[in-house]
Amino acid sequence: MQINDSETLAELTAAFETYERALVSNAVETLNGFFWESEFVLRYGVAEQLYGIAAIRAFRSARATGDLSRSLLRTIVTTFGRDFGTANAEYRRHASGALGRVSQAWVRMPEGWRIVAAHVSAPMTTD
């Protein structure tokens, strides 16, 4: 299996970057379109567990939009063969300064790259 084939890596990186732009601009339909259209897709968030595309769509439609702008601190995209990859990033929200992490599993479907599983978390901090 080839890891990080340059063409596949460029495609998945572009998909991740487009998703990120849609996320910070709250382009709900674009965001929904990046997820696998399936009851098996899942997204674990900081405060929610979403199973299936219907739950993800409902979350996107209702989520708060006050602190979406963020900077990616570190991003690692890795492809495995031509049809599977992962994207992982650490970020800092601009308004609140909150730190977070996102991990996504992507699969190339007939309609293009789609997220099949995602996990968003806030790192634990100690004072």
Side-chain angles (χ1 to χ4, degrees):
M1 175 181 299
Q2 187 168 9
I3 307 298
N4 284 347
D5 164 73
S6 60
E7 181 180 328
T8 307
L9 182 60
E11 290 173 2
L12 183 52
T13 299
F16 174 78
E17 290 170 348
T18 302
Y19 176 87
E20 182 68 18
R21 284 190 301 274
L23 185 70
V24 299
S25 65
N26 200 39
V28 174
E29 290 306 312
T30 302
L31 291 169
N32 288 339
F34 273 109
F35 281 86
W36 182 27
E37 184 90 20
S38 172
E39 66 185 279
F40 301 114
V41 66
L42 64 91
R43 180 187 175 279
Y44 294 146
V46 173
E48 67 281 344
Q49 296 81 38
L50 307 172
Y51 298 96
I53 191 64
I56 292 170
R57 285 183 179 142
F59 167 78
R60 288 278 178 233
S61 295
R63 78 176 176 148
T65 60
D67 192 13
L68 295 180
S69 182
R70 64 191 193 182
S71 294
L72 298 180
L73 305 175
R74 183 170 185 185
T75 302
I76 299 174
V77 177
T78 308
T79 61
F80 303 86
R82 297 215 18 91
D83 299 319
F84 179 79
T86 60
N88 294 277
E90 296 175 51
Y91 61 85
R92 180 181 307 277
R93 297 214 177 268
H94 293 168
S96 66
L99 296 172
R101 300 174 291 214
V102 60
S103 296
Q104 300 166 338
W106 292 74
V107 174
R108 183 195 308 270
M109 303 285 185
E111 60 275 13
W113 286 99
R114 296 295 182 264
I115 299 166
V116 297
H119 190 166
V120 180
S121 63
M124 294 179 62
T125 59
T126 58
D127 294 328

